[in-house]
Amino acid sequence: MDSFLIKGGRPLKGTVSISGAKNAALPILCASLLTADPLKISNVPRLRDINTCLRLLGSLGVQCFWHGDNELALRAEEVNEPVASYDLVKTMRASILVLGPLLARFGEAIVSLPGGCAIGQRPVDQHIKGLQAMGADIRIEKGYIHAKATRLKGARLVTDMVTVTGTENLMMAACLADGQTIIENAAREPEVVDLANMLVKMGAKIQGIGTDTLVIDGVERLHGCEHTVMPDRIEAGTFLCAVAACGGDITLNNADADSMEATIEKLRTAGLTVQSEGSTIRASMNARPKAVGFRTAPFPGFATDMQAQLMAVNCIAEGTAVISETIFENRFMHVQELVRLGANIEIDGHTAVVKGVAALEGAPVMATDLRASAGLVIAGLVSAGETRIDRIYHLDRGYDKMEEKLRLLGADVKRVSE
């Protein structure tokens, strides 16, 4: 099992390129099930979750081939058996995104109830409720969702909460449904927009992209296309938090500042200087950060996927920050690990009070989920001495060659295997 060894205390200086967004690439790859034609997807990150998704699609009969470092060719002429097994689905919750496309195009789907990070329940009832409203016959047996429909029918869908994967699943299913589907209370995340834009390239008829109401007029078939995955706003935000904590001057290429306004606004409040032009972001910090409180919320609010990283900045900031987590009930598991490094954090339900300390000290810590591991990396980078982060397979699910990119910025980070 791999670990990171980090010798902290160095400012970050240099340039790195941001990879494609994992949270956009996964639904985009699943959308290959909607057509028999070939798709060419560029800027796909090389991640553990991407490999899991490709294994899942391959098990269904989708042909998947890498070209170069980050381009994928996919073709789903037919599906051998519309079954997404537990062995593949258990490690990645986004596997549920094959449910809508399989049902819409092939009339049947058997998909295991999903797993993934242990950050909360994240139920899929909104997916099931929406597909049932579109005429699907769904039952759950022995941990599997069994869904059937001769052809889905357009319907008015109102989700009980804002759900990103729910919106994506229902939007993909609606593209091949008979008639018009209206999804209200739809997620507005940039990754949802990226998927919608690709579906339009495939011949889908979608209005209201980027708003909380999507109107989809179903078509008989979709065709192939070429698409480039958007830059990963969470990876970019993680590097911005790292320089805010450590100090220095970094440049991010292939980044999209417009997709991460909430993160940039908070970091500017903390004292980070941020300038953006086109696909380039430059950020510098020459003082101790100021504490900045925040509340996670669906887009355009502050992303829950950036909570652990900004908490790490607050650990060494001047002042006290109050952080409210409103999305996932178990997303403060990294707190006890930050405390091992010397952080002063108190938890009260879904609220964390972080009192900044002058310095952190390196220690052995353990990653508990994907974004928690990124927060621990930032804390390790700013800690005196050596920090060992175990279970970084969580990190590999969402960050492409993070240690290599950090070394380009002058950090002392090594991957070691037991």
Side-chain angles (χ1 to χ4, degrees):
M1 190 177 296
D2 288 358
S3 302
F4 272 1
L5 288 181
I6 303 175
K7 293 181 180 178
R10 296 186 179 188
L12 303 180
K13 295 181 181 180
T15 301
V16 294
S17 291
I18 299 302
S19 300
K22 175 191 85 116
N23 290 340
L26 292 174
I28 282 171
L29 297 183
C30 293
S32 63
L33 291 164
L34 290 167
T35 179
D37 294 345
L39 294 174
K40 186 164 76 172
I41 312 300
S42 303
N43 201 35
V44 180
R46 292 275 195 159
L47 302 172
R48 194 185 191 100
D49 274 9
I50 294 295
N51 291 333
T52 299
C53 185
L54 293 178
R55 289 200 305 274
L56 173 58
L57 292 173
S59 73
L60 294 170
V62 181
Q63 300 174 44
C64 311
F65 300 100
W66 284 103
H67 294 287
D69 288 337
N70 60 9
E71 184 179 292
L72 272 170
L74 303 106
R75 188 162 193 176
E77 289 186 86
E78 58 184 33
V79 162
N80 305 325
E81 193 175 16
V83 179
S85 70
Y86 172 71
D87 287 343
L88 287 170
V89 175
K90 68 181 179 181
T91 62
M92 186 183 69
R93 182 179 183 273
S95 302
I96 192 67
L97 288 167
V98 302
L99 176 61
L102 281 174
L103 185 59
R105 181 166 165 229
F106 298 101
E108 183 179 9
I110 303 172
V111 180
S112 171
L113 290 169
C117 284
I119 58 175
Q121 295 184 33
R122 305 200 289 184
V124 296
D125 58 317
Q126 299 302 302
H127 306 237
I128 294 171
K129 173 185 169 185
L131 292 171
Q132 286 176 327
M134 298 171 73
D137 177 21
I138 298 179
R139 67 185 193 279
I140 297 177
E141 293 181 357
K142 299 180 180 179
Y144 279 81
I145 302 168
H146 294 250
K148 287 189 176 183
T150 303
R151 186 181 181 188
L152 294 172
K153 304 289 185 182
R156 178 174 174 267
L157 311 177
V158 184
T159 59
D160 296 337
M161 65 193 76
V162 177
T163 162
V164 172
T165 54
T167 298
E168 292 167 339
N169 232 340
L170 298 175
M171 177 170 62
M172 287 190 284
C175 288
L176 292 178
D178 180 15
Q180 185 178 85
T181 299
I182 299 174
I183 305 175
E184 298 186 25
N185 200 28
R188 300 162 54 191
E189 271 70 6
E191 295 80 8
V192 177
V193 171
D194 203 26
L195 171 63
N197 287 336
M198 192 193 78
L199 292 171
V200 169
K201 291 180 184 178
M202 294 171 67
K205 297 180 179 179
I206 307 174
Q207 302 175 58
I209 296 173
T211 74
D212 60 4
T213 302
L214 296 171
V215 180
I216 303 117
D217 290 298
V219 297
E220 290 290 333
R221 66 179 298 274
L222 296 175
H223 52 72
C225 74
E226 297 183 7
H227 185 76
T228 301
V229 176
M230 67 172 285
D232 195 320
R233 64 190 174 110
I234 306 302
E235 184 190 23
T238 299
F239 281 107
L240 293 182
C241 284
V243 73
C246 298
D249 190 333
I250 68 170
T251 298
L252 307 179
N253 292 330
N254 188 38
D256 181 7
D258 291 342
S259 68
M260 47 193 297
E261 289 181 352
T263 295
I264 290 175
E265 177 189 351
K266 291 297 181 182
L267 287 171
R268 281 177 170 152
T269 302
L272 186 68
T273 298
V274 183
Q275 298 171 316
S276 64
E277 183 176 349
S279 61
T280 298
I281 300 175
R282 182 176 178 182
S284 60
M285 191 76 160
N286 57 12
R288 184 181 174 187
K290 297 179 179 63
V292 54
F294 60 94
R295 177 185 180 90
T296 62
F299 190 85
F302 191 90
T304 181
D305 280 357
M306 284 301 306
Q307 180 251 104
Q309 299 92 310
L310 189 49
M311 180 182 285
V313 177
N314 278 314
C315 287
I316 50 88
E318 190 176 328
T320 299
V322 177
I323 299 171
S324 297
E325 173 59 61
T326 70
I327 308 298
F328 296 125
E329 66 271 19
N330 294 339
R331 210 160 200 179
F332 282 149
M333 291 190 294
H334 48 279
V335 167
Q336 60 187 357
E337 303 300 307
L338 291 171
V339 169
R340 286 178 52 80
L341 298 172
N344 184 345
I345 308 171
E346 295 182 2
I347 301 293
D348 182 8
H350 298 295
T351 300
V353 178
V354 185
K355 297 179 181 178
V357 297
L360 298 175
E361 294 287 337
V365 293
M366 180 180 67
T368 54
D369 63 70
L370 168 54
R371 303 308 173 183
S373 60
L376 293 177
V377 168
I378 293 168
L381 290 171
V382 77
S383 294
E386 184 175 87
T387 298
R388 182 187 182 102
I389 306 175
D390 292 328
R391 295 174 63 178
I392 61 165
Y393 59 83
H394 287 295
L395 191 82
D396 293 335
R397 290 185 51 223
Y399 291 90
D400 190 2
K401 302 182 181 71
M402 177 177 251
E403 72 276 24
E404 295 180 19
K405 293 182 180 182
L406 286 171
R407 285 199 292 268
L408 288 174
L409 299 178
D412 188 341
V413 182
K414 295 179 182 177
R415 179 185 290 261
V416 295
S417 299
E418 292 184 356

